[in-house]
Amino acid sequence: MRWSKTLIPTLKEVPADAEVISHKLLVRAGYIRQISRGIYDYFPLALKVIRKIETIVRQEMDRAGAQELLLPISSPAELWQESGRWEYYGKELLRFKDRHERDFCLGPTHEELITDLVRRSVRSYRELPINLYQVQTKFRDEVRPRFGLMRGREFIMKDAYSFHTTVEDCRREYDNMYQAYKRIFTRCGLSFRPVEADTGAIGGSLSHEFQVLAESGEDAIVSCDQCEYAANVEKAEVKGKPPAARDISEELPKLEKVATPGKKTVPEVAEFLKLGANKFIKTLVYKTDSGDLIAALVRGDHEINELKLRTMLGCREVTLADEAAVTAATGVVTGYIGPIGLSLRVVADLSVHGMRGAVTGANEANTHYVDIDQERDFTPSAFADLRLAVAGDPCPRCESGKLQSHRGIEVGQVFYLGTKYSEKMGATYLDAEGREQPIEMGCYGIGISRMVAAAVEQNNDANGIIWPLAIAPFQVLVLPINYKEDKLRDAGEKLYRDLQRAGVEVLLDDRDERAGVKFKDADLVGIPLRVTIGAKGLDKGFFELRSRRDGKTEEVPVGEAVKVITEKIAQAVQG
Ligand code: ATP
Ligand code: MG
């Protein structure tokens, strides 16, 4: 394509709302524009990148034995009512009514629609297993759409759903998809890590996310420095240690109350009493979805993992109770709550077990207890792993490893669902004996548009984007530095034609612009290889070939340019 005929509206200014580099660069380089919060136009260059990613995704899905289909974006409420998610999904599900006042929604994911399709079209065990996928626009009315394509409200997803007669066969397909995902992200040139994950609104009991490692990632991940263990921090287990053996001859200091006027938070009281945060027992009061208040205890230097708390309590949601509710239920001002004599149900993290010489609120304004001995002074109704894992924690899987922490962008997730949807929606098959059985299911998503942003987060420099070759909008940019000069223009046009004939994806900068402007735009837009055609080189019979990634240039004889370039591309694609 010709630059002069392509809509690449580059900008000098960074958009004011753009916080992360991919958002800034994709807008500045003329790839995307926001039309409403979390809703973007994809300009021609962005669409090219998306199509490249989609092609790789389709190739690997087909190779793994899946079949492509296309489901509608809108779906009737009835299907969601059957699965129970019409209510469960909350405000993220964009709902609307048709002219007959019937309820509909825009699909945020398609378990309901595909389960319905399969129950209507698959009868016998002979028709299973089957894996069906689509590439489609999804809509989720996210609370905080942000970071450009990373968290949009409308975004492109590849979603696949597999159906099986047995758990084993479903697990086999889960592994098959896991391997396909590894190939997809590798081929797209991303540095990523599969991690154990929670199943969220999709449900099921086993799940992995594929996380692109990047500082700007919204997800916290931990991984072991010795073994393969890696998990989203939401899911990461913390190995509990039994409390140290107690020396009975040891005289323990008595429980005491101390005045801590106006000091409420752990850092404030720690500073006031000159004690480390790890000596504190932090008491957090949560409200469950049934309206109960529960006190959860963690060590002062730890944080509660709300997902673990929720799972332990068997409820769908926990939210920190507001001050008024806490005071109304306990008679204590927040900041001074503690487990000793508290009139609420108390659950505690494993690390609180056996704490001694600890500090916590005394359930009295401006007062804390010191020298607490947990085993002597209070007994929670349960101990469980309730905290967030942190760097330095021992690995929950191996003997000697320690956890390291990273940030990640979730670009894909695989789920083993079991019969969660098939039982609710009556998706069954007849087994060899003619008995009706619920179908086993798995589902597998990839955020195609989020991958565009993730790729830019990992591949950029001060001057702009550096596309991995496999997903670049063009492989080569041909840049005659003065398009008005016949000699340069002719050489550029010829190389452009020759490269096209050789099957290379090439953009010709045929604009009548200053060389400086063209170079700046070239770096910003990020095409991996650039051929610069200048008068001096041309007189000597050379083009200059430059790699966008490392800035290295080499002189290539005019007659060999096509060969050198095609070889480089072949090498990079293989490598
Ligand atoms: P997140 O935790 O980031 O909200 P999710 O776990 O809810 O995502 P899934 O239901 O697993 O998302 O969807 C499959 C994939 O779709 C995700 O791995 C992600 O790459 C992509 N995706 C999800 N939500 C968005 C969004 N708001 N914008 C862009 N891509 C998204
Ligand atoms: Mg997910």
Side-chain angles (χ1 to χ4, degrees), residues 89 92 108-109 140 142 149-158 202 209 218-219 410-413 415 445-450:
Y89 233 104
E92 227 178 83
T109 173
R140 294 184 184 179
E142 299 270 357
L149 298 186
M150 263 199 308
R151 184 167 298 284
R153 294 199 292 164
E154 191 177 301
F155 58 96
I156 303 171
M157 197 203 285
K158 184 284 298 177
I202 310 279
E209 288 165 351
E218 288 185 282
D219 288 13
E410 179 199 322
V411 287
Q413 187 165 8
F415 300 82
I446 289 185
I448 306 258
S449 47
R450 184 181 282 183

PDB file of all heavy atoms in Angstrom, residues 89 92 108-109 140 142 149-158 202 209 218-219 410-413 415 445-450, ligand 1:
ATOM      1  N   TYR A  89     -24.601 -11.863  36.344  1.00  0.00           N
ATOM      2  CA  TYR A  89     -23.647 -11.015  35.628  1.00  0.00           C
ATOM      3  C   TYR A  89     -23.686  -9.545  36.047  1.00  0.00           C
ATOM      4  O   TYR A  89     -22.744  -8.803  35.850  1.00  0.00           O
ATOM      5  CB  TYR A  89     -23.842 -11.143  34.107  1.00  0.00           C
ATOM      6  CG  TYR A  89     -22.549 -11.475  33.410  1.00  0.00           C
ATOM      7  CD1 TYR A  89     -22.280 -12.750  32.946  1.00  0.00           C
ATOM      8  CD2 TYR A  89     -21.570 -10.496  33.246  1.00  0.00           C
ATOM      9  CE1 TYR A  89     -21.078 -13.056  32.336  1.00  0.00           C
ATOM     10  CE2 TYR A  89     -20.363 -10.796  32.632  1.00  0.00           C
ATOM     11  CZ  TYR A  89     -20.130 -12.075  32.184  1.00  0.00           C
ATOM     12  OH  TYR A  89     -18.949 -12.366  31.586  1.00  0.00           O
ATOM     13  N   GLU A  92     -22.342  -5.532  34.234  1.00  0.00           N
ATOM     14  CA  GLU A  92     -21.418  -5.687  33.107  1.00  0.00           C
ATOM     15  C   GLU A  92     -22.137  -6.169  31.843  1.00  0.00           C
ATOM     16  O   GLU A  92     -21.660  -5.995  30.727  1.00  0.00           O
ATOM     17  CB  GLU A  92     -20.329  -6.691  33.491  1.00  0.00           C
ATOM     18  CG  GLU A  92     -18.948  -6.191  33.143  1.00  0.00           C
ATOM     19  CD  GLU A  92     -17.881  -7.172  33.564  1.00  0.00           C
ATOM     20  OE1 GLU A  92     -17.634  -8.115  32.801  1.00  0.00           O
ATOM     21  OE2 GLU A  92     -17.309  -7.010  34.648  1.00  0.00           O
ATOM     22  N   PRO A 108     -21.228 -10.918  26.387  1.00  0.00           N
ATOM     23  CA  PRO A 108     -19.895 -10.655  26.950  1.00  0.00           C
ATOM     24  C   PRO A 108     -19.022 -11.901  26.804  1.00  0.00           C
ATOM     25  O   PRO A 108     -17.807 -11.845  26.967  1.00  0.00           O
ATOM     26  CB  PRO A 108     -20.188 -10.387  28.425  1.00  0.00           C
ATOM     27  CG  PRO A 108     -21.454 -11.140  28.728  1.00  0.00           C
ATOM     28  CD  PRO A 108     -22.216 -11.272  27.435  1.00  0.00           C
ATOM     29  N   THR A 109     -19.634 -13.036  26.508  1.00  0.00           N
ATOM     30  CA  THR A 109     -19.037 -14.355  26.390  1.00  0.00           C
ATOM     31  C   THR A 109     -20.214 -15.227  25.964  1.00  0.00           C
ATOM     32  O   THR A 109     -21.351 -14.800  26.068  1.00  0.00           O
ATOM     33  CB  THR A 109     -18.404 -14.787  27.743  1.00  0.00           C
ATOM     34  OG1 THR A 109     -17.981 -16.152  27.634  1.00  0.00           O
ATOM     35  CG2 THR A 109     -19.372 -14.688  28.907  1.00  0.00           C
ATOM     36  N   ARG A 140     -18.743  -5.806  27.125  1.00  0.00           N
ATOM     37  CA  ARG A 140     -18.859  -5.870  28.592  1.00  0.00           C
ATOM     38  C   ARG A 140     -18.869  -4.440  29.095  1.00  0.00           C
ATOM     39  O   ARG A 140     -17.943  -3.685  28.806  1.00  0.00           O
ATOM     40  CB  ARG A 140     -17.659  -6.614  29.208  1.00  0.00           C
ATOM     41  CG  ARG A 140     -17.619  -8.071  28.837  1.00  0.00           C
ATOM     42  CD  ARG A 140     -16.491  -8.811  29.534  1.00  0.00           C
ATOM     43  NE  ARG A 140     -16.449 -10.183  29.066  1.00  0.00           N
ATOM     44  CZ  ARG A 140     -15.563 -11.085  29.466  1.00  0.00           C
ATOM     45  NH1 ARG A 140     -14.634 -10.757  30.340  1.00  0.00           N
ATOM     46  NH2 ARG A 140     -15.604 -12.312  28.986  1.00  0.00           N
ATOM     47  N   GLU A 142     -17.797  -2.615  31.363  1.00  0.00           N
ATOM     48  CA  GLU A 142     -16.804  -2.619  32.435  1.00  0.00           C
ATOM     49  C   GLU A 142     -16.982  -1.406  33.352  1.00  0.00           C
ATOM     50  O   GLU A 142     -17.296  -0.309  32.873  1.00  0.00           O
ATOM     51  CB  GLU A 142     -15.394  -2.564  31.833  1.00  0.00           C
ATOM     52  CG  GLU A 142     -15.038  -3.738  30.943  1.00  0.00           C
ATOM     53  CD  GLU A 142     -14.395  -4.878  31.714  1.00  0.00           C
ATOM     54  OE1 GLU A 142     -14.174  -4.724  32.933  1.00  0.00           O
ATOM     55  OE2 GLU A 142     -14.128  -5.924  31.089  1.00  0.00           O
ATOM     56  N   LEU A 149      -6.972  -0.276  24.344  1.00  0.00           N
ATOM     57  CA  LEU A 149      -7.519  -1.580  23.939  1.00  0.00           C
ATOM     58  C   LEU A 149      -7.382  -2.641  25.035  1.00  0.00           C
ATOM     59  O   LEU A 149      -7.907  -3.731  24.907  1.00  0.00           O
ATOM     60  CB  LEU A 149      -6.818  -2.075  22.674  1.00  0.00           C
ATOM     61  CG  LEU A 149      -6.971  -1.203  21.436  1.00  0.00           C
ATOM     62  CD1 LEU A 149      -6.355  -1.905  20.224  1.00  0.00           C
ATOM     63  CD2 LEU A 149      -8.436  -0.871  21.161  1.00  0.00           C
ATOM     64  N   MET A 150      -6.679  -2.307  26.093  1.00  0.00           N
ATOM     65  CA  MET A 150      -6.481  -3.318  27.138  1.00  0.00           C
ATOM     66  C   MET A 150      -7.762  -3.650  27.864  1.00  0.00           C
ATOM     67  O   MET A 150      -8.042  -4.804  28.136  1.00  0.00           O
ATOM     68  CB  MET A 150      -5.440  -2.837  28.131  1.00  0.00           C
ATOM     69  CG  MET A 150      -4.219  -3.448  27.726  1.00  0.00           C
ATOM     70  SD  MET A 150      -2.812  -3.671  28.640  1.00  0.00           S
ATOM     71  CE  MET A 150      -2.239  -2.298  29.386  1.00  0.00           C
ATOM     72  N   ARG A 151      -8.483  -2.656  28.241  1.00  0.00           N
ATOM     73  CA  ARG A 151      -9.769  -2.896  28.907  1.00  0.00           C
ATOM     74  C   ARG A 151     -10.826  -2.025  28.266  1.00  0.00           C
ATOM     75  O   ARG A 151     -11.114  -0.927  28.710  1.00  0.00           O
ATOM     76  CB  ARG A 151      -9.675  -2.645  30.417  1.00  0.00           C
ATOM     77  CG  ARG A 151     -10.976  -2.994  31.149  1.00  0.00           C
ATOM     78  CD  ARG A 151     -10.812  -3.051  32.642  1.00  0.00           C
ATOM     79  NE  ARG A 151      -9.881  -4.082  33.029  1.00  0.00           N
ATOM     80  CZ  ARG A 151     -10.169  -5.389  33.045  1.00  0.00           C
ATOM     81  NH1 ARG A 151     -11.366  -5.821  32.720  1.00  0.00           N
ATOM     82  NH2 ARG A 151      -9.247  -6.263  33.392  1.00  0.00           N
ATOM     83  N   GLY A 152     -11.360  -2.537  27.169  1.00  0.00           N
ATOM     84  CA  GLY A 152     -12.403  -1.799  26.480  1.00  0.00           C
ATOM     85  C   GLY A 152     -13.762  -2.280  26.956  1.00  0.00           C
ATOM     86  O   GLY A 152     -13.864  -3.202  27.777  1.00  0.00           O
ATOM     87  N   ARG A 153     -14.803  -1.642  26.461  1.00  0.00           N
ATOM     88  CA  ARG A 153     -16.143  -2.184  26.700  1.00  0.00           C
ATOM     89  C   ARG A 153     -16.512  -3.060  25.508  1.00  0.00           C
ATOM     90  O   ARG A 153     -17.093  -4.112  25.657  1.00  0.00           O
ATOM     91  CB  ARG A 153     -17.141  -1.045  26.893  1.00  0.00           C
ATOM     92  CG  ARG A 153     -16.840  -0.262  28.183  1.00  0.00           C
ATOM     93  CD  ARG A 153     -18.023   0.540  28.634  1.00  0.00           C
ATOM     94  NE  ARG A 153     -18.309   1.636  27.716  1.00  0.00           N
ATOM     95  CZ  ARG A 153     -19.454   2.301  27.706  1.00  0.00           C
ATOM     96  NH1 ARG A 153     -20.432   1.963  28.527  1.00  0.00           N
ATOM     97  NH2 ARG A 153     -19.624   3.293  26.869  1.00  0.00           N
ATOM     98  N   GLU A 154     -16.152  -2.588  24.315  1.00  0.00           N
ATOM     99  CA  GLU A 154     -16.339  -3.429  23.132  1.00  0.00           C
ATOM    100  C   GLU A 154     -14.963  -3.915  22.709  1.00  0.00           C
ATOM    101  O   GLU A 154     -14.034  -3.128  22.612  1.00  0.00           O
ATOM    102  CB  GLU A 154     -16.963  -2.548  22.027  1.00  0.00           C
ATOM    103  CG  GLU A 154     -17.439  -3.335  20.851  1.00  0.00           C
ATOM    104  CD  GLU A 154     -18.106  -2.443  19.810  1.00  0.00           C
ATOM    105  OE1 GLU A 154     -19.100  -1.761  20.136  1.00  0.00           O
ATOM    106  OE2 GLU A 154     -17.606  -2.428  18.673  1.00  0.00           O
ATOM    107  N   PHE A 155     -14.815  -5.200  22.511  1.00  0.00           N
ATOM    108  CA  PHE A 155     -13.490  -5.731  22.157  1.00  0.00           C
ATOM    109  C   PHE A 155     -13.646  -7.021  21.356  1.00  0.00           C
ATOM    110  O   PHE A 155     -14.726  -7.605  21.308  1.00  0.00           O
ATOM    111  CB  PHE A 155     -12.641  -5.963  23.418  1.00  0.00           C
ATOM    112  CG  PHE A 155     -13.248  -6.909  24.419  1.00  0.00           C
ATOM    113  CD1 PHE A 155     -12.896  -8.254  24.438  1.00  0.00           C
ATOM    114  CD2 PHE A 155     -14.174  -6.463  25.351  1.00  0.00           C
ATOM    115  CE1 PHE A 155     -13.456  -9.134  25.358  1.00  0.00           C
ATOM    116  CE2 PHE A 155     -14.741  -7.337  26.279  1.00  0.00           C
ATOM    117  CZ  PHE A 155     -14.385  -8.668  26.280  1.00  0.00           C
ATOM    118  N   ILE A 156     -12.549  -7.427  20.711  1.00  0.00           N
ATOM    119  CA  ILE A 156     -12.624  -8.613  19.864  1.00  0.00           C
ATOM    120  C   ILE A 156     -12.064  -9.811  20.619  1.00  0.00           C
ATOM    121  O   ILE A 156     -10.975  -9.739  21.193  1.00  0.00           O
ATOM    122  CB  ILE A 156     -11.838  -8.416  18.555  1.00  0.00           C
ATOM    123  CG1 ILE A 156     -12.380  -7.181  17.821  1.00  0.00           C
ATOM    124  CG2 ILE A 156     -11.935  -9.656  17.660  1.00  0.00           C
ATOM    125  CD1 ILE A 156     -11.544  -6.772  16.627  1.00  0.00           C
ATOM    126  N   MET A 157     -12.821 -10.886  20.612  1.00  0.00           N
ATOM    127  CA  MET A 157     -12.385 -12.085  21.325  1.00  0.00           C
ATOM    128  C   MET A 157     -12.485 -13.300  20.412  1.00  0.00           C
ATOM    129  O   MET A 157     -13.364 -13.369  19.563  1.00  0.00           O
ATOM    130  CB  MET A 157     -13.270 -12.326  22.555  1.00  0.00           C
ATOM    131  CG  MET A 157     -12.662 -13.284  23.577  1.00  0.00           C
ATOM    132  SD  MET A 157     -13.877 -14.073  24.658  1.00  0.00           S
ATOM    133  CE  MET A 157     -14.296 -12.743  25.742  1.00  0.00           C
ATOM    134  N   LYS A 158     -11.556 -14.213  20.602  1.00  0.00           N
ATOM    135  CA  LYS A 158     -11.737 -15.553  20.033  1.00  0.00           C
ATOM    136  C   LYS A 158     -12.239 -16.377  21.196  1.00  0.00           C
ATOM    137  O   LYS A 158     -11.592 -16.418  22.250  1.00  0.00           O
ATOM    138  CB  LYS A 158     -10.395 -16.093  19.526  1.00  0.00           C
ATOM    139  CG  LYS A 158     -10.465 -17.435  18.818  1.00  0.00           C
ATOM    140  CD  LYS A 158     -10.645 -18.649  19.713  1.00  0.00           C
ATOM    141  CE  LYS A 158      -9.512 -18.859  20.690  1.00  0.00           C
ATOM    142  NZ  LYS A 158      -9.762 -20.008  21.601  1.00  0.00           N
ATOM    143  N   ILE A 202     -17.124 -16.937  34.700  1.00  0.00           N
ATOM    144  CA  ILE A 202     -17.327 -18.047  33.770  1.00  0.00           C
ATOM    145  C   ILE A 202     -17.602 -19.336  34.561  1.00  0.00           C
ATOM    146  O   ILE A 202     -18.404 -20.162  34.162  1.00  0.00           O
ATOM    147  CB  ILE A 202     -16.076 -18.252  32.872  1.00  0.00           C
ATOM    148  CG1 ILE A 202     -15.628 -16.942  32.236  1.00  0.00           C
ATOM    149  CG2 ILE A 202     -16.290 -19.357  31.846  1.00  0.00           C
ATOM    150  CD1 ILE A 202     -16.361 -16.487  31.028  1.00  0.00           C
ATOM    151  N   GLU A 209      -4.577 -18.828  33.049  1.00  0.00           N
ATOM    152  CA  GLU A 209      -4.530 -17.609  32.241  1.00  0.00           C
ATOM    153  C   GLU A 209      -3.189 -17.555  31.546  1.00  0.00           C
ATOM    154  O   GLU A 209      -2.193 -18.053  32.075  1.00  0.00           O
ATOM    155  CB  GLU A 209      -4.633 -16.370  33.134  1.00  0.00           C
ATOM    156  CG  GLU A 209      -5.988 -16.133  33.718  1.00  0.00           C
ATOM    157  CD  GLU A 209      -5.965 -15.116  34.867  1.00  0.00           C
ATOM    158  OE1 GLU A 209      -4.858 -14.723  35.315  1.00  0.00           O
ATOM    159  OE2 GLU A 209      -7.050 -14.745  35.321  1.00  0.00           O
ATOM    160  N   GLU A 218      -2.480  -5.199  34.573  1.00  0.00           N
ATOM    161  CA  GLU A 218      -3.408  -5.000  35.684  1.00  0.00           C
ATOM    162  C   GLU A 218      -3.378  -6.175  36.656  1.00  0.00           C
ATOM    163  O   GLU A 218      -3.891  -6.086  37.758  1.00  0.00           O
ATOM    164  CB  GLU A 218      -4.843  -4.855  35.158  1.00  0.00           C
ATOM    165  CG  GLU A 218      -5.093  -3.544  34.469  1.00  0.00           C
ATOM    166  CD  GLU A 218      -6.553  -3.420  34.079  1.00  0.00           C
ATOM    167  OE1 GLU A 218      -6.957  -4.028  33.073  1.00  0.00           O
ATOM    168  OE2 GLU A 218      -7.284  -2.722  34.788  1.00  0.00           O
ATOM    169  N   ASP A 219      -2.813  -7.307  36.227  1.00  0.00           N
ATOM    170  CA  ASP A 219      -2.827  -8.497  37.071  1.00  0.00           C
ATOM    171  C   ASP A 219      -1.498  -8.668  37.801  1.00  0.00           C
ATOM    172  O   ASP A 219      -0.439  -8.432  37.231  1.00  0.00           O
ATOM    173  CB  ASP A 219      -3.081  -9.747  36.228  1.00  0.00           C
ATOM    174  CG  ASP A 219      -4.522  -9.812  35.747  1.00  0.00           C
ATOM    175  OD1 ASP A 219      -5.220  -8.779  35.872  1.00  0.00           O
ATOM    176  OD2 ASP A 219      -4.948 -10.851  35.246  1.00  0.00           O
ATOM    177  N   GLU A 410      -3.543 -10.180  31.006  1.00  0.00           N
ATOM    178  CA  GLU A 410      -4.178 -11.457  30.657  1.00  0.00           C
ATOM    179  C   GLU A 410      -4.639 -11.405  29.199  1.00  0.00           C
ATOM    180  O   GLU A 410      -5.549 -10.666  28.865  1.00  0.00           O
ATOM    181  CB  GLU A 410      -5.374 -11.700  31.579  1.00  0.00           C
ATOM    182  CG  GLU A 410      -6.091 -12.986  31.259  1.00  0.00           C
ATOM    183  CD  GLU A 410      -7.509 -13.027  31.821  1.00  0.00           C
ATOM    184  OE1 GLU A 410      -7.746 -12.532  32.928  1.00  0.00           O
ATOM    185  OE2 GLU A 410      -8.378 -13.579  31.123  1.00  0.00           O
ATOM    186  N   VAL A 411      -4.006 -12.210  28.365  1.00  0.00           N
ATOM    187  CA  VAL A 411      -4.417 -12.218  26.950  1.00  0.00           C
ATOM    188  C   VAL A 411      -5.263 -13.437  26.598  1.00  0.00           C
ATOM    189  O   VAL A 411      -5.905 -13.472  25.549  1.00  0.00           O
ATOM    190  CB  VAL A 411      -3.210 -12.127  25.989  1.00  0.00           C
ATOM    191  CG1 VAL A 411      -2.633 -10.716  26.008  1.00  0.00           C
ATOM    192  CG2 VAL A 411      -2.139 -13.151  26.321  1.00  0.00           C
ATOM    193  N   GLY A 412      -5.262 -14.443  27.464  1.00  0.00           N
ATOM    194  CA  GLY A 412      -6.090 -15.604  27.173  1.00  0.00           C
ATOM    195  C   GLY A 412      -6.365 -16.380  28.439  1.00  0.00           C
ATOM    196  O   GLY A 412      -5.655 -16.225  29.448  1.00  0.00           O
ATOM    197  N   GLN A 413      -7.426 -17.180  28.397  1.00  0.00           N
ATOM    198  CA  GLN A 413      -7.731 -18.004  29.565  1.00  0.00           C
ATOM    199  C   GLN A 413      -8.430 -19.280  29.108  1.00  0.00           C
ATOM    200  O   GLN A 413      -9.266 -19.245  28.205  1.00  0.00           O
ATOM    201  CB  GLN A 413      -8.607 -17.229  30.564  1.00  0.00           C
ATOM    202  CG  GLN A 413      -8.801 -17.980  31.875  1.00  0.00           C
ATOM    203  CD  GLN A 413      -9.352 -17.120  33.012  1.00  0.00           C
ATOM    204  OE1 GLN A 413      -9.732 -15.978  32.797  1.00  0.00           O
ATOM    205  NE2 GLN A 413      -9.391 -17.674  34.206  1.00  0.00           N
ATOM    206  N   PHE A 415     -10.590 -22.742  30.519  1.00  0.00           N
ATOM    207  CA  PHE A 415     -11.401 -23.180  31.663  1.00  0.00           C
ATOM    208  C   PHE A 415     -11.877 -24.606  31.457  1.00  0.00           C
ATOM    209  O   PHE A 415     -12.344 -24.958  30.371  1.00  0.00           O
ATOM    210  CB  PHE A 415     -12.693 -22.362  31.779  1.00  0.00           C
ATOM    211  CG  PHE A 415     -12.530 -20.890  31.961  1.00  0.00           C
ATOM    212  CD1 PHE A 415     -12.290 -20.054  30.870  1.00  0.00           C
ATOM    213  CD2 PHE A 415     -12.673 -20.315  33.217  1.00  0.00           C
ATOM    214  CE1 PHE A 415     -12.183 -18.684  31.033  1.00  0.00           C
ATOM    215  CE2 PHE A 415     -12.565 -18.939  33.386  1.00  0.00           C
ATOM    216  CZ  PHE A 415     -12.314 -18.125  32.285  1.00  0.00           C
ATOM    217  N   GLY A 445     -10.730 -18.673  25.837  1.00  0.00           N
ATOM    218  CA  GLY A 445     -10.845 -17.335  25.233  1.00  0.00           C
ATOM    219  C   GLY A 445      -9.496 -16.687  24.975  1.00  0.00           C
ATOM    220  O   GLY A 445      -8.530 -16.918  25.712  1.00  0.00           O
ATOM    221  N   ILE A 446      -9.466 -15.868  23.930  1.00  0.00           N
ATOM    222  CA  ILE A 446      -8.276 -15.040  23.674  1.00  0.00           C
ATOM    223  C   ILE A 446      -8.756 -13.629  23.367  1.00  0.00           C
ATOM    224  O   ILE A 446      -9.671 -13.436  22.559  1.00  0.00           O
ATOM    225  CB  ILE A 446      -7.454 -15.577  22.475  1.00  0.00           C
ATOM    226  CG1 ILE A 446      -6.765 -16.887  22.858  1.00  0.00           C
ATOM    227  CG2 ILE A 446      -6.410 -14.544  22.026  1.00  0.00           C
ATOM    228  CD1 ILE A 446      -5.824 -17.430  21.790  1.00  0.00           C
ATOM    229  N   GLY A 447      -8.149 -12.656  24.024  1.00  0.00           N
ATOM    230  CA  GLY A 447      -8.498 -11.258  23.766  1.00  0.00           C
ATOM    231  C   GLY A 447      -7.665 -10.740  22.605  1.00  0.00           C
ATOM    232  O   GLY A 447      -6.542 -10.292  22.804  1.00  0.00           O
ATOM    233  N   ILE A 448      -8.257 -10.803  21.414  1.00  0.00           N
ATOM    234  CA  ILE A 448      -7.490 -10.422  20.215  1.00  0.00           C
ATOM    235  C   ILE A 448      -7.105  -8.938  20.267  1.00  0.00           C
ATOM    236  O   ILE A 448      -5.945  -8.580  20.074  1.00  0.00           O
ATOM    237  CB  ILE A 448      -8.317 -10.692  18.935  1.00  0.00           C
ATOM    238  CG1 ILE A 448      -8.805 -12.136  18.907  1.00  0.00           C
ATOM    239  CG2 ILE A 448      -7.566 -10.234  17.682  1.00  0.00           C
ATOM    240  CD1 ILE A 448      -8.086 -13.089  18.037  1.00  0.00           C
ATOM    241  N   SER A 449      -8.086  -8.069  20.549  1.00  0.00           N
ATOM    242  CA  SER A 449      -7.749  -6.641  20.550  1.00  0.00           C
ATOM    243  C   SER A 449      -6.841  -6.307  21.735  1.00  0.00           C
ATOM    244  O   SER A 449      -5.968  -5.440  21.625  1.00  0.00           O
ATOM    245  CB  SER A 449      -9.009  -5.773  20.532  1.00  0.00           C
ATOM    246  OG  SER A 449      -9.953  -6.220  21.470  1.00  0.00           O
ATOM    247  N   ARG A 450      -7.030  -6.997  22.860  1.00  0.00           N
ATOM    248  CA  ARG A 450      -6.122  -6.750  23.982  1.00  0.00           C
ATOM    249  C   ARG A 450      -4.691  -7.168  23.622  1.00  0.00           C
ATOM    250  O   ARG A 450      -3.723  -6.559  24.081  1.00  0.00           O
ATOM    251  CB  ARG A 450      -6.588  -7.499  25.234  1.00  0.00           C
ATOM    252  CG  ARG A 450      -5.735  -7.188  26.445  1.00  0.00           C
ATOM    253  CD  ARG A 450      -6.171  -7.940  27.670  1.00  0.00           C
ATOM    254  NE  ARG A 450      -7.345  -7.352  28.304  1.00  0.00           N
ATOM    255  CZ  ARG A 450      -7.869  -7.830  29.437  1.00  0.00           C
ATOM    256  NH1 ARG A 450      -7.343  -8.882  30.028  1.00  0.00           N
ATOM    257  NH2 ARG A 450      -8.935  -7.254  29.971  1.00  0.00           N
TER     258      ARG A 450
HETATM  259  P1  ATP B   1     -10.304  -9.548  33.064  1.00  0.00           P
HETATM  260  O1  ATP B   1      -9.997 -10.363  34.294  1.00  0.00           O
HETATM  261  O2  ATP B   1      -9.116  -8.868  32.493  1.00  0.00           O
HETATM  262  O3  ATP B   1     -11.487  -8.666  33.230  1.00  0.00           O
HETATM  263  P2  ATP B   1     -11.710 -11.829  32.178  1.00  0.00           P
HETATM  264  O4  ATP B   1     -10.990 -12.892  32.903  1.00  0.00           O
HETATM  265  O5  ATP B   1     -13.005 -11.354  32.666  1.00  0.00           O
HETATM  266  O6  ATP B   1     -10.740 -10.593  31.932  1.00  0.00           O
HETATM  267  P3  ATP B   1     -12.339 -13.715  30.091  1.00  0.00           P
HETATM  268  O7  ATP B   1     -13.771 -13.904  30.375  1.00  0.00           O
HETATM  269  O8  ATP B   1     -11.370 -14.738  30.493  1.00  0.00           O
HETATM  270  O9  ATP B   1     -11.875 -12.280  30.647  1.00  0.00           O
HETATM  271  O10 ATP B   1     -12.204 -13.355  28.533  1.00  0.00           O
HETATM  272  C1  ATP B   1     -11.257 -13.921  27.650  1.00  0.00           C
HETATM  273  C2  ATP B   1     -10.236 -12.897  27.216  1.00  0.00           C
HETATM  274  O11 ATP B   1     -10.859 -11.725  26.698  1.00  0.00           O
HETATM  275  C3  ATP B   1      -9.367 -12.392  28.336  1.00  0.00           C
HETATM  276  O12 ATP B   1      -8.305 -13.273  28.567  1.00  0.00           O
HETATM  277  C4  ATP B   1      -8.895 -11.058  27.803  1.00  0.00           C
HETATM  278  O13 ATP B   1      -7.745 -11.230  26.987  1.00  0.00           O
HETATM  279  C5  ATP B   1     -10.042 -10.594  26.938  1.00  0.00           C
HETATM  280  N1  ATP B   1     -10.814  -9.534  27.614  1.00  0.00           N
HETATM  281  C6  ATP B   1     -11.638  -9.663  28.665  1.00  0.00           C
HETATM  282  N2  ATP B   1     -12.168  -8.496  29.009  1.00  0.00           N
HETATM  283  C7  ATP B   1     -11.670  -7.581  28.147  1.00  0.00           C
HETATM  284  C8  ATP B   1     -11.845  -6.175  27.986  1.00  0.00           C
HETATM  285  N3  ATP B   1     -12.659  -5.491  28.775  1.00  0.00           N
HETATM  286  N4  ATP B   1     -11.177  -5.551  26.979  1.00  0.00           N
HETATM  287  C9  ATP B   1     -10.363  -6.249  26.161  1.00  0.00           C
HETATM  288  N5  ATP B   1     -10.157  -7.572  26.271  1.00  0.00           N
HETATM  289  C10 ATP B   1     -10.794  -8.235  27.248  1.00  0.00           C
END
